[in-house]
Amino acid sequence: MGSSSEDFSVVVLASDLAVDARPFLFHQEEQHQEEENWHDCSQYLSPDEDFSDLEQLQFITLQGSDKNGNRIIRIVGKYYPATVVSAERLKRYVFHKIFSELPDGPFCIVYMHTTVQKEDNSPGMTILRWIYEELPDDFKDRLETMYFIHPGLRSRLVIATLGRFFLSGGLYWKIKYVSRLQYLWDDMKKGEIEIPEFVQKHDDILENRPLTDYGIEPDPFHLTGTGMPSVTYSFGKYEERWAERDHISEYEYR
């Protein structure tokens, strides 16, 4: 065709350049096995670990059922010693408690925030989110409602601003605030859940002073537990300043 031998080239494809697909297949098989084991509750249990000290605290207990037949998990925040229980042990205990006593079926959580102190009774939102994220999706789907008893202003603000970012799996939309115990009885009978005495007393105080949880009214029994200072107590400082100002004004006019 009039072209020299230098006008073309030969490309050789070696047979050993083919990609071995077996590692990818093995990886898929491993993922499939992990998904099958994900719902195996036995892997979350700690039969050799002693949780008797935490059991005595009773900050997580399985109660009766609500009006829809969902089992009730009661959490009393005041009973949790955040300063002495590590996050890792808390996670193991929560998993052991849930999967040994509530392996299946729908349930709800009643969290009592009454008189909770941030430094003493709260593990922190980051740790709670970490524990929740470690739970299997099946468990998250079984959770119907989380009742938040006696929420303070601080808790409402934190959940309202950061809840959508920190709480996944639809948990944010399952939270139901309950400012008074009387509203809790709309969804469950009184005999189905045990109310600690200090929670009932705090609820009685709120009946007469409904703004106590928001730091607007004085709380002589220090039962708010919201971490918010009372506005009423701060008025005294300004009353003294106003009195001094009136005295100076009166002296100037003389």
Side-chain angles (χ1 to χ4, degrees):
M1 300 289 295
S3 60
S4 64
S5 60
E6 297 178 356
D7 292 338
F8 66 94
S9 60
V10 178
V11 179
V12 179
L13 294 177
S15 59
D16 57 355
L17 293 180
V19 178
D20 187 1
R22 288 178 296 176
F24 298 98
L25 297 176
F26 292 154
H27 180 66
Q28 291 179 354
E29 291 178 357
E30 292 175 356
Q31 286 184 336
H32 184 66
Q33 292 177 355
E34 290 178 358
E35 291 177 356
E36 291 180 349
N37 295 331
W38 183 251
H39 301 283
D40 183 11
C41 298
S42 61
Q43 63 178 319
Y44 301 104
L45 301 179
S46 302
D48 299 331
E49 187 168 1
D50 183 17
F51 293 113
S52 59
D53 56 333
L54 299 182
E55 286 289 337
Q56 293 179 358
L57 299 177
Q58 296 290 299
F59 67 91
I60 299 180
T61 57
L62 184 64
Q63 304 275 299
S65 302
D66 63 10
K67 293 182 179 180
N68 294 323
N70 304 317
R71 294 302 305 273
I72 302 173
I73 295 180
R74 190 196 70 173
I75 301 178
V76 183
K78 187 65 176 180
Y79 291 166
Y80 174 66
T83 57
V84 297
V85 180
S86 65
E88 184 62 36
R89 188 160 191 253
L90 174 62
K91 172 191 170 183
R92 294 196 302 270
Y93 175 65
V94 170
F95 279 37
H96 178 81
K97 188 76 173 178
I98 291 175
F99 292 109
S100 61
E101 299 185 7
L102 195 64
D104 51 29
F107 68 95
C108 64
I109 295 177
V110 177
Y111 168 64
M112 300 182 180
H113 191 64
T114 315
T115 73
V116 165
Q117 300 294 331
K118 179 181 178 182
E119 296 79 8
D120 301 328
N121 311 121
S122 177
M125 180 173 288
T126 304
I127 295 178
L128 294 177
R129 180 180 184 273
W130 168 62
I131 295 177
Y132 181 77
E133 290 296 335
E134 291 293 321
L135 293 171
D137 293 336
D138 175 67
F139 175 84
K140 299 175 185 177
D141 294 337
R142 288 163 49 201
L143 174 61
E144 297 294 332
T145 309
M146 178 177 177
Y147 299 92
F148 201 117
I149 310 298
H150 295 153
L153 178 60
R154 176 191 177 92
S155 301
R156 287 180 179 268
L157 290 176
V158 170
I159 295 178
T161 54
L162 303 177
R164 298 185 183 184
F165 302 98
F166 281 89
L167 303 178
S168 62
L171 178 60
Y172 176 82
W173 304 106
K174 295 180 180 181
I175 298 177
K176 183 177 182 179
Y177 295 108
V178 182
S179 58
R180 299 292 183 276
L181 291 176
Q182 62 178 348
Y183 303 128
L184 182 65
W185 309 135
D186 294 338
D187 297 329
M188 58 190 66
K189 297 180 180 180
K190 292 185 178 182
E192 295 294 330
I193 182 173
E194 181 181 357
I195 305 297
E197 184 178 357
F198 76 93
V199 176
Q200 184 63 60
K201 288 184 177 180
H202 180 73
D203 196 77
D204 295 339
I205 291 176
L206 294 180
E207 286 296 327
N208 298 323
R209 297 179 176 179
L211 300 180
T212 300
D213 269 352
Y214 301 94
I216 298 178
E217 293 190 354
D219 182 13
F221 300 102
H222 303 288
L223 295 176
T224 56
T226 60
M228 299 293 292
S230 177
V231 177
T232 307
Y233 289 127
S234 63
F235 288 163
K237 298 184 296 182
Y238 297 102
E239 288 176 354
E240 296 178 359
R241 296 180 183 177
W242 292 334
E244 294 176 357
R245 185 178 302 175
D246 294 340
H247 178 72
I248 294 175
S249 301
E250 182 179 355
Y251 177 78
E252 290 178 350
Y253 281 119
R254 290 180 182 178

